[in-house]
Amino acid sequence: MISQRSVWAGLAVSAAFLAVFAFLFLPFDDIGDVVRGANFWYVAPSLIFYFAAVYFRSLRWRYLLHPLIGRPRRALFPVVVVGYMANNILPIRLGEVVRSYYIGLREGVNPAAAFGTVAVERVFDVFVLFFLIAVVWVLPVGGLLGRVADDLPGGTAALLALSVLPFIGVTVIIGAIVVLEAATVVSLIGRVLFFLPVRLRSRILGLATRLVEGLTVVRTPRALGAVLLLSLPIWASEVLMLYVISLGFDIESAFGGRFETIAAIGLFMAIANLALVVPSTAGGVGPFNFFGAATLVALGVGDAEAGAYVLTAHIALLLPVTLLGLLVLVSDHVSLRTLLGRTRLGQVGEQADGPDAPDAPGATGGESSPAPTRPVT
């Protein structure tokens, strides 16, 4: 369950970042002229690239889920959309848990194991974002990274380092799975938790077994390489989406041509997404806006131009997929309240295992195949 304290804390953080964002990057004297001069029609074609990114995410997730469900009975694209919708309206990225439970409803997979595959996704997303920053560093694009390092607000580097910490544990487990058997990894986790009461330790180990089951797809270097390659078009599509939106603003004038502009947009996207590690309310509202606009201003974009562009881009990232996700749930005869009732990962893990596991909701189309045998117990 979501504690009221965590919700209010997230709201407070978002409100603080939004207030600073509005004060610094939405100057009253200039923002009106920027908005009147902007061409918001570029948002419409940019959504082609955004939903292409969502489609590539569904392909990557299909690969990660293959050891658990074989060929999906139904399309995964709607499930990914619902996960994004839930992330955009729920705090602390609960959409990842909602997505795991939703795929459990549709495909009969244990949601805790599905959540393990989502954890793999997040590790590779963070890796690709840092890889993108490294690429901008080595490319001949006018020292963009140096400008950001010199002019970003203090503590940003520490924030980026902090963004790695939640994924270090998952990365260590993935590395252990590559070298060891899954049962050995679970046994090692049990030894680390020796100080816990027996009942609690057993519950955690049961959940860990399912999570490790979801990580087993990355047991070989070939699988690691495949997931990395499947991650690259996701973020390339998002860069192109943000670039298309930037054509409606006076962004390119701050850079030395189209190539440098695209590199700058990529750097903005990487830092703004890594900033989402800051606890906030739904959709990363606040940290995304502040750090995104601060990055662009550090790169030479005007305050009002950066603020208006980031606000427009964030709305384009949040609103269409949220509306589509709600439409998917309505057409699938599933209520968001049903999914929210399973947002505790332990509860999810327990309820999808036994004979009383819920049946999949009514079909809305998609791929079909015989129900696969669950390979790992």
Side-chain angles (χ1 to χ4, degrees):
M1 298 294 291
I2 311 170
S3 71
Q4 288 189 355
R5 181 176 298 179
S6 64
V7 172
W8 284 109
L11 287 171
V13 170
S14 288
F17 273 105
L18 278 178
V20 177
F21 165 76
F23 178 75
L24 294 178
F25 305 115
L26 298 177
F28 183 78
D29 295 337
D30 301 326
I31 194 63
D33 292 337
V34 170
V35 171
R36 283 189 292 272
N39 186 348
F40 295 101
W41 286 108
Y42 280 100
V43 172
S46 78
L47 295 180
I48 296 173
F49 294 104
Y50 177 75
F51 284 107
V54 177
Y55 173 72
F56 286 127
R57 286 189 182 277
S58 70
L59 291 183
R60 181 180 65 178
W61 202 28
R62 175 175 177 150
Y63 179 81
L64 290 168
L65 285 170
H66 186 266
L68 303 177
I69 65 175
R71 183 183 179 189
R73 294 190 294 254
R74 304 171 63 190
L76 296 181
F77 180 87
V79 185
V80 177
V81 168
V82 167
Y84 267 75
M85 175 273 295
N87 267 340
N88 294 341
I89 62 178
L90 299 174
I92 57 174
R93 300 193 68 86
L94 280 175
E96 315 292 17
V97 182
V98 169
R99 172 155 64 111
S100 301
Y101 182 71
Y102 192 33
I103 193 66
L105 283 177
R106 291 167 66 101
E107 298 291 340
V109 64
N110 181 277
F115 188 80
T117 65
V118 174
V120 173
E121 287 185 330
R122 292 299 155 259
V123 168
F124 278 88
D125 284 339
V126 170
F127 179 81
V128 171
L129 291 174
F130 275 104
F131 174 75
L132 180 58
I133 293 174
V135 169
V136 173
W137 181 38
V138 300
L139 287 177
V141 285
L144 295 178
L145 193 58
R147 280 190 259 172
V148 170
D150 291 338
D151 296 334
L152 266 183
T156 302
L159 176 68
L160 296 181
L162 181 64
S163 69
V164 182
L165 294 181
F167 306 97
I168 289 179
V170 178
T171 304
V172 169
I173 294 175
I174 291 174
I177 290 173
V178 171
V179 177
L180 305 171
E181 293 293 329
T184 304
V185 175
V186 174
S187 177
L188 290 173
I189 294 174
R191 293 180 184 179
V192 172
L193 302 177
F194 70 92
F195 57 91
L196 294 177
V198 173
R199 184 176 179 181
L200 178 59
R201 185 167 68 247
S202 298
R203 185 183 178 94
I204 293 175
L205 285 178
L207 181 58
T209 300
R210 292 301 186 186
L211 288 171
V212 169
E213 179 183 345
L215 299 174
T216 53
V217 70
V218 290
R219 290 197 60 185
T220 66
R222 180 180 178 181
L224 291 170
V227 178
L228 176 60
L229 288 177
L230 288 169
S231 300
L232 294 177
I234 295 170
W235 293 103
S237 298
E238 291 212 10
V239 169
L240 290 174
M241 176 214 180
L242 295 171
Y243 172 70
V244 171
I245 294 175
S246 76
L247 296 177
F249 295 83
D250 189 27
I251 301 294
E252 192 165 334
S253 64
F255 305 104
R258 181 176 300 172
F259 181 71
E260 187 173 315
T261 303
I262 292 175
I265 294 295
L267 192 56
F268 143 68
M269 182 199 69
I271 293 175
N273 277 279
L274 289 171
L276 297 184
V277 70
V278 177
S280 62
T281 190
V285 174
F288 180 95
N289 307 87
F290 171 76
F291 285 102
T295 299
L296 291 174
V297 170
L299 291 170
V301 179
D303 293 351
E305 204 76 40
Y309 165 70
V310 169
L311 192 59
T312 302
H314 203 194
I315 292 172
L317 286 166
L318 298 182
L319 185 59
V321 74
T322 300
L323 295 177
L324 182 59
L326 292 171
L327 182 61
V328 167
L329 288 184
V330 170
S331 64
D332 214 11
H333 307 291
V334 177
S335 70
L336 184 58
R337 178 176 297 180
T338 298
L339 298 176
L340 289 177
R342 303 296 188 268
T343 52
R344 284 188 301 178
L345 189 56
Q347 184 179 359
V348 168
E350 292 166 2
Q351 292 203 359
D353 273 333
D356 297 327
D359 295 329
T364 58
E367 304 167 43
S368 63
S369 68
T373 301
R374 306 232 305 248
V376 184
T377 58

